[in-house]
Amino acid sequence: MISTVKEIEREAQEKLGQIQSAEDLEGFRVLYLGRKGKLQALMMQIKTLEGEGKKEFGREVNQLKKFLEESVQNLKGRFEGQSGEKESFDETLPGIIPSVGTLHPINETILEIIKVFEKLGFEIVDGPEIETEFHNFTALNIPLDHPSRDSFDTFYTAGKQLLRSQTSTVQIRIMQDRKPPLRLIAPGRVYRPDTVDASHSFMFHQIEGLMVDDKTTFSDLKGVLHLFFREFFGKETKIRFRPHFFPFTEPSVEVDIRWGKKGWLEILGAGMVDPNVFDAVGYDSKKVQGFAFGLGVERIAMLRHGIPDIRLFYENDLRFLRQFR
Ligand code: DAH
């Protein structure tokens, strides 16, 4: 009888050495300590014995029980925390990729344009979108009977104010506040009651530029714009200056860019700041001179990325927006 206990112990010891996981350990526990396990079978045998033999056998079986229980307890600690959790966590699976936003193509274009002008020493400024007639028209030398003042062309608010129809308003605000020299860029939203179609929207973005000191000339304007276009669209970019009229500049030009098969495309308006504008902001128009320009951001973004319809910018369709980084 006793030899059976020893045999079981030896066999158990060997099995203990092979245990590698919580599962192995559980198998071992059931085999030896389970309700129908080997230890239980030995316990049953005790009852069949009597006298000295029963005592000795009982002692041996108890020792074995202690040994088995302690071994299982010790190994349990080693596999704790690894069971269950360990098996459900597969570190070879790809992680959860957080969805990262991208810049809107309009903001991206504004930032790229700003980058070029920053290199040329231009400062970035902004102004309010709700404006006065003075800042949007009067100070910019736009006469009272000019069609752009009509309510068909400008959104008016209840209290004699309006949604600015051009970023040229920021020229006026900064000049009212500060003395020359000035070199600034003002990006922002503008509003016009246009019927929405592939190339028009009631809201779009412009970037205004202004440079003023006592000697700024038309050559400076040409030089700055040439540099800008070459930096922005590439060294081979061809531009041309066409005479034009704007109330706030004299002389005025429109600048066209050569765009492959499409030919010359109008891209911005510019000119030398009209003396009437300087007078309106309290500058001495005999002592200062400067240039201004204004460009439409949507138009440039559409050209750059080959976007056929302005409405795509405002629909918030992620299939469209995700194409831009
Ligand atoms: N404000 C003009 C527009 O909205 C654009 C413009 C043209 C701005 C000539 C200027 C400029 O500063 O000199 O059409």
Side-chain angles (χ1 to χ4, degrees), residues 81-278:
Q82 291 182 14
S83 64
E85 240 176 89
K86 163 112 204 251
E87 272 122 50
S88 68
F89 180 73
D90 181 350
E91 66 276 4
T92 64
L93 284 173
I96 299 163
I97 298 163
S99 89
V100 175
T102 59
L103 280 178
H104 189 282
I106 293 297
N107 285 334
E108 178 245 15
T109 303
I110 290 174
L111 287 175
E112 289 294 315
I113 293 172
I114 282 176
K115 246 196 240 167
V116 180
F117 283 103
E118 273 184 330
K119 279 195 222 169
L120 298 173
F122 282 73
E123 173 193 356
I124 317 303
V125 294
D126 67 3
E129 290 174 21
I130 298 176
E131 267 294 7
T132 63
E133 283 197 60
F134 176 78
H135 291 92
N136 201 76
F137 297 122
T138 315
L140 287 163
N141 198 34
I142 299 174
L144 273 175
D145 59 356
H146 194 275
S148 68
R149 290 204 184 219
D150 199 286
S151 62
F152 290 111
D153 287 305
T154 299
F155 286 112
Y156 287 89
T157 67
K160 272 221 125 210
Q161 288 192 305
L162 49 82
L163 295 182
R164 69 177 178 195
S165 61
Q166 48 188 357
T167 46
S168 307
T169 53
V170 186
Q171 292 184 33
I172 303 303
R173 289 204 168 262
I174 302 288
M175 286 195 285
Q176 282 180 316
D177 264 16
R178 301 204 221 154
K179 296 269 158 273
L182 295 174
R183 221 186 292 182
L184 45 99
I185 287 288
R189 292 193 186 102
V190 298
Y191 302 83
R192 292 179 196 179
D194 285 334
T195 305
V196 175
D197 63 23
S199 52
H200 293 87
S201 164
F202 52 84
M203 183 282 299
F204 57 100
H205 299 74
Q206 287 188 332
I207 295 185
E208 193 78 13
L210 179 71
M211 177 163 170
V212 181
D213 67 20
D214 53 353
K215 289 197 275 287
T216 304
T217 65
F218 196 87
S219 317
D220 295 320
L221 169 63
K222 286 187 86 171
V224 165
L225 290 181
H226 263 288
L227 248 157
F228 164 68
F229 281 108
R230 297 210 176 118
E231 276 284 308
F232 193 77
F233 286 108
K235 292 263 174 289
E236 305 304 311
T237 308
K238 288 198 167 55
I239 59 170
R240 74 175 182 194
F241 291 76
R242 234 177 340 97
H244 198 75
F245 172 80
F246 293 105
F248 30 86
T249 43
E250 182 60 35
S252 304
V253 289
E254 273 192 335
V255 182
D256 300 335
I257 184 171
R258 183 87 197 173
W259 202 262
K261 284 197 193 84
K262 289 189 171 172
W264 292 103
L265 299 178
E266 182 230 313
I267 207 135
L268 62 77
M272 298 306 291
V273 179
D274 193 292
N276 289 344
V277 174
F278 286 139

Side-chain angles (χ1 to χ4, degrees), residues 54-70:
K54 179 173 183 168
K55 256 191 186 167
E56 200 180 330
F57 186 72
R59 209 181 304 123
E60 293 284 339
V61 172
N62 262 329
Q63 266 173 20
L64 176 64
K65 184 180 176 207
K66 214 172 148 214
F67 164 74
L68 291 171
E69 282 175 351
E70 278 175 2

